[in-house]
Amino acid sequence: MLLIISGVAGAGKDTVKKEIVKRMENVETIPSITDRPMRPRRYSR
């Protein structure tokens, strides 16, 4: 089975993923990715 979790930022995708991993056996996950450009780095002083 392949399950894709998709949604806007802050929708709870990681929370849902963690619950699925806790409740099911033999689950493999892959890292989350995005197609938006990286934000510029900000250095605090």
Side-chain angles (χ1 to χ4, degrees):
M1 173 183 4
L2 173 65
L3 175 64
I4 299 172
I5 302 171
S6 177
V8 298
K13 299 176 294 292
D14 284 330
T15 303
V16 171
K17 182 172 111 174
K18 288 175 190 173
E19 282 299 315
I20 290 170
V21 169
K22 267 201 303 192
R23 296 176 187 208
M24 295 181 71
E25 296 177 7
N26 300 320
V27 174
E28 293 183 37
T29 64
I30 61 170
S32 298
I33 60 168
T34 183
D35 61 352
R36 74 165 172 77
M38 287 187 71
R39 296 180 184 153
R41 287 190 146 193
R42 299 177 97 186
Y43 297 97
S44 58
R45 290 181 175 222

